[in-house]
């Protein structure tokens, strides 16, 4: 189920000779799966980190536990730290990270179901966006994948 943007993203990365990495929480590896469905993805997809638990975010990506405690796992600061960690702990020049609440439970007034923070790291510079997606768990996760890949593509233009 390759998204329409994936071949364009692949071409952009190949043109630059760059590799990408992912750091995924709420999508559980779906971004990596989308990328690697495209034949030849080993030329531009370096690795994926599935860091669903807070412990995994800390151990695999170097996200500070105090950051998670202070801001919550679903926050701009944690998303940026995840993106930086994937960049720093891989051989990729770009990374994308997602952390959110896919539902159907787990939401709050401050962070309702569908709240997702996405972050991108391009050659060490990070940026992030918050989105509030609606729909089922599957719809939230699919929208997150699409937004993550489109966001990376736009940042590479």
């Amino acid at each position: 189920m390759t998204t329409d943007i994936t071949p364009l993203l692949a071409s952009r990365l190949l043109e630059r000779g760059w590799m990408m990495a992912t750091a995924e929480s709420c999508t559980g590896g779906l971004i990596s799966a989308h990328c690697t469905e495209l034949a030849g993805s080993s030329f531009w997809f370096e690795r994926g980190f599935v860091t669903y638990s807070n412990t995994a975010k800390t151990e695999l990506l170097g996200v500070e536990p105090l950051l998670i405690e202070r801001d919550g796992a679903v926050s701009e600061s944690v998303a940026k730290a995840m993106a930086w960690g994937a960049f720093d702990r891989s051989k990729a020049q770009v990374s994308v990270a997602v952390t959110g609440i896919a539902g159907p439970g787990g939401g709050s007034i401050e962070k309702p179901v569908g709240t997702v923070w996405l972050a991108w790291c391009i050659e060490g510079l990070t940026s992030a966006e918050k989105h509030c997606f609606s729909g089922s768990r599957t719809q939230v996760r699919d929208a997150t994948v699409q937004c993550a890949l489109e966001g990376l593509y736009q940042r590479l233009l």
Side-chain angles (χ1 to χ4, degrees):
M1 167 167 111
T2 304
T3 59
D4 291 338
I5 201 71
T6 308
L8 297 173
L9 175 61
S11 293
R12 181 69 52 182
L13 291 166
L14 286 167
E15 286 171 9
R16 294 183 181 201
W18 285 3
M19 301 289 281
M20 76 173 277
T22 62
E24 302 182 64
S25 186
C26 63
T27 52
L30 290 175
I31 299 169
S32 297
H34 269 67
C35 290
T36 58
E37 281 180 3
L38 194 61
S41 57
S42 61
F43 292 107
W44 55 272
F45 185 84
E46 207 271 330
R47 72 180 71 182
F49 298 90
V50 177
T51 55
Y52 208 75
S53 72
N54 292 342
T55 300
K57 289 173 183 64
T58 298
E59 290 177 356
L60 296 177
L61 299 172
V63 178
E64 290 294 328
L66 292 176
L67 192 65
I68 296 171
E69 185 179 323
R70 184 189 74 207
D71 299 339
V74 180
S75 62
E76 178 179 14
S77 60
V78 170
K80 283 182 168 182
M82 289 171 65
W84 170 258
F87 167 79
D88 187 54
R89 294 173 182 222
S90 71
K91 298 187 185 322
Q93 291 75 30
V94 301
S95 68
V96 60
V98 297
T99 181
I101 304 162
S108 66
I109 292 171
E110 299 83 23
K111 296 177 185 177
V113 169
T115 301
V116 178
W117 274 99
L118 301 98
W120 300 268
C121 184
I122 300 178
E123 293 193 302
L125 299 174
T126 60
S127 61
E129 293 177 0
K130 178 183 175 184
H131 289 266
C132 294
F133 299 115
S134 60
S136 68
R137 179 178 182 82
T138 298
Q139 290 169 320
V140 168
R141 288 162 43 110
D142 288 347
T144 301
V145 170
Q146 187 71 29
C147 189
L149 295 174
E150 287 178 0
L152 181 56
Y153 178 73
Q154 290 301 320
R155 283 162 176 78
L156 292 176
L157 288 179

